[in-house]
């Protein structure tokens, strides 16, 4: 587990302080990056991960990447916010470990860290609170590029603060040793899947890597992650495709190949089934905002 976490990479996108009212009302928000909030005044609601979180002062909140979310503010609130990309070992997400809280009472240092991140990264604020205005390819690339303007000291301090803040949401609960061993084995499979999304991947192949029967592997995977392995692979292919459509100039054919679809037609059908949009319309919608 520690060896995997040592490869964690956090890439800051934006950070700032916002004063928000009833216009902060958005549905069907699924972003390829993590959001983090520190509420200073007022309240709001965020629905994600099958729960509702009442945003309130003195607490910090985490919304993982590729999570369906619904945002509602019925009155007024003020908050510090951070958005960042996260990745472990060739695309494996830290959220694969499923050991996160999403609401944590802020300690005495939390507010300092949010303020310090804003000070270090001036002009990284979101201009419009509507996700459609910033959760798109051109803006995402612009925010990533701005990291190049940081000095070495600013960059390292920024990385340190992001690591400190995300660590506050990691639970301290330890699984029994035998389950940890199993999860470690399956986590390597997640890493293999994410590293090889461009290739055909079969359940038999994955089971053989664990020295399990196919039936036992599928049952264990479902028990551990709450999703069947085939569906997990397909979901990760679409998530990677969304990120590529947002952050590269690759053609649809190139994107399809990079995420393991044998042809654009099958890729488009699968993408639309998952997102209710074709890859072409998804990209056009984001680029033209």
């Amino acid at each position: 587990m520690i060896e995997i976490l040592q490869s964690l990479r956090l890439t800051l996108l934006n950070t700032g302080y916002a004063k928000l009212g009833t216009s902060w009302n958005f549905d069907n928000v699924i972003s390829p990056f993590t959001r983090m909030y520190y509420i200073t005044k007022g309240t709001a609601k965020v629905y994600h991960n099958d729960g509702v979180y009442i945003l309130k002062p003195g607490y910090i909140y985490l919304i993982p990447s590729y999570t369906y979310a619904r945002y509602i503010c019925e009155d007024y609130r003020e908050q510090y916010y951070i958005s960042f990309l996260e990745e472990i070992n060739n695309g494996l997400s830290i959220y694969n470990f499923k050991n996160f809280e999403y609401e944590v009472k802020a300690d005495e240092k939390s507010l300092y860290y949010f303020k310090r991140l804003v000070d270090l990264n001036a002009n990284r604020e979101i201009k419009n609170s509507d996700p459609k205005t910033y959760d798109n390819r051109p803006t995402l690339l612009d925010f990533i590029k701005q990291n190049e303007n940081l000095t070495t000291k600013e960059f390292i301090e920024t990385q340190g603060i992001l690591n400190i803040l995300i660590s506050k949401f990691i639970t301290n609960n330890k699984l029994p040793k035998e389950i940890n061993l199993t999860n470690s084995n399956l986590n390597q499979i997640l890493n293999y899947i994410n590293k090889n999304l461009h290739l055909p991947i079969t359940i038999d192949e994955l089971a053989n890597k664990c020295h399990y029967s196919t039936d036992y592997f599928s049952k264990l995977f479902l028990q551990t992650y709450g999703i069947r392995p085939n569906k997990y692979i397909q979901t990760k292919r679409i998530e990677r495709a969304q990120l590529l459509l947002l952050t590269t100039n690759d053609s649809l054919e190139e994107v399809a190949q990079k995420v393991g679809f044998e042809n654009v037609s099958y890729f488009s059908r699968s993408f639309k089934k998952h997102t209710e949009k074709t890859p072409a319309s998804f990209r056009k919608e984001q680029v033209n905002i």
Side-chain angles (χ1 to χ4, degrees), residues 75-289:
D75 186 16
Y76 176 80
R77 88 176 186 288
E78 298 182 18
Q79 67 181 25
Y80 285 95
Y81 60 86
I82 303 167
S83 298
F84 58 91
L85 299 171
E86 54 77 29
E87 185 179 41
I88 297 177
N89 279 359
N90 300 304
L92 180 63
S93 170
I94 194 172
Y95 303 118
N96 290 133
F97 299 108
K98 296 187 177 181
N99 57 344
F100 281 81
E101 301 286 351
Y102 303 119
E103 176 187 73
V104 175
K105 187 170 178 57
D107 58 30
E108 60 183 13
K109 282 287 190 179
S110 297
L111 182 57
Y112 166 78
Y113 288 131
F114 274 82
K115 288 181 176 180
R116 181 59 180 158
L117 204 60
V118 172
D119 291 341
L120 286 168
N121 297 272
N123 302 316
R124 301 286 289 273
E125 69 274 8
I126 296 171
K127 305 298 184 183
N128 186 319
S129 62
D130 186 343
K132 289 183 178 179
T133 66
Y134 64 86
D135 189 359
N136 58 77
R137 183 178 167 220
T139 308
L140 193 63
L141 289 172
D142 287 343
F143 279 126
I144 292 172
K145 189 171 181 61
Q146 286 188 48
N147 287 296
E148 299 173 6
N149 298 328
L150 297 175
T151 65
T152 301
K153 179 181 183 301
E154 291 168 338
F155 179 80
I156 292 175
E157 188 174 354
T158 293
Q159 297 303 299
I161 291 173
L162 289 175
N163 277 282
I164 290 171
L165 287 175
I166 198 171
S167 74
K168 295 181 182 296
F169 295 93
I170 300 176
T171 66
N172 291 322
N173 297 331
K174 293 185 177 180
L175 297 171
K177 190 173 294 185
E178 64 272 15
I179 296 180
N180 273 334
L181 180 62
T182 299
N183 279 349
S184 177
N185 199 5
L186 289 181
N187 285 334
Q188 295 302 317
I189 292 298
L190 298 187
N191 184 43
Y192 176 83
I193 291 171
N194 281 276
K195 185 178 179 181
N196 295 282
L197 286 175
H198 60 293
L199 300 174
I201 301 174
T202 67
I203 306 307
D204 286 343
E205 173 191 4
L206 300 180
N208 288 335
K209 288 183 178 296
C210 295
H211 305 290
Y212 297 150
S213 71
T214 300
D215 287 344
Y216 179 73
F217 171 82
S218 297
K219 182 179 179 180
L220 185 61
F221 195 101
L222 176 61
Q223 178 184 344
T224 303
Y225 300 115
I227 186 173
R228 297 187 184 281
N230 268 329
K231 186 174 181 180
Y232 176 86
I233 294 168
Q234 193 78 336
T235 298
K236 289 302 169 183
R237 292 192 197 280
I238 300 302
E239 288 178 358
R240 181 72 57 81
Q242 287 178 295
L243 192 58
L244 291 172
L245 289 167
L246 281 171
T247 60
T248 74
N249 293 316
D250 292 345
S251 67
L252 296 186
E253 290 82 359
E254 290 170 327
V255 171
Q257 290 175 359
K258 286 184 177 181
V259 297
F261 288 93
E262 57 190 26
N263 58 66
V264 175
S265 177
Y266 179 41
F267 169 53
S268 295
R269 291 197 306 272
S270 299
F271 192 96
K272 186 173 183 179
K273 182 178 179 181
H274 187 89
T275 68
E276 299 183 353
K277 300 175 183 177
T278 67
S281 63
F282 174 84
R283 169 175 270 177
K284 183 178 180 181
E285 189 174 281
Q286 300 299 318
V287 171
N288 289 338
I289 290 173

Side-chain angles (χ1 to χ4, degrees), residues 25-72:
N25 191 327
F26 309 107
D27 195 8
N28 196 34
V29 179
I30 306 175
S31 301
F33 52 79
T34 295
R35 288 180 170 86
M36 199 178 289
Y37 300 137
Y38 183 109
I39 310 303
T40 59
K41 294 181 182 179
T43 187
K45 295 179 183 179
V46 175
Y47 299 83
H48 70 93
N49 284 288
D50 300 319
V52 55
Y53 297 87
I54 309 299
L55 308 187
K56 49 189 178 288
Y59 284 78
I60 53 178
Y61 297 87
L62 179 75
I63 304 172
S65 56
Y66 292 109
T67 298
Y68 165 82
R70 172 82 169 95
Y71 301 85
I72 301 175

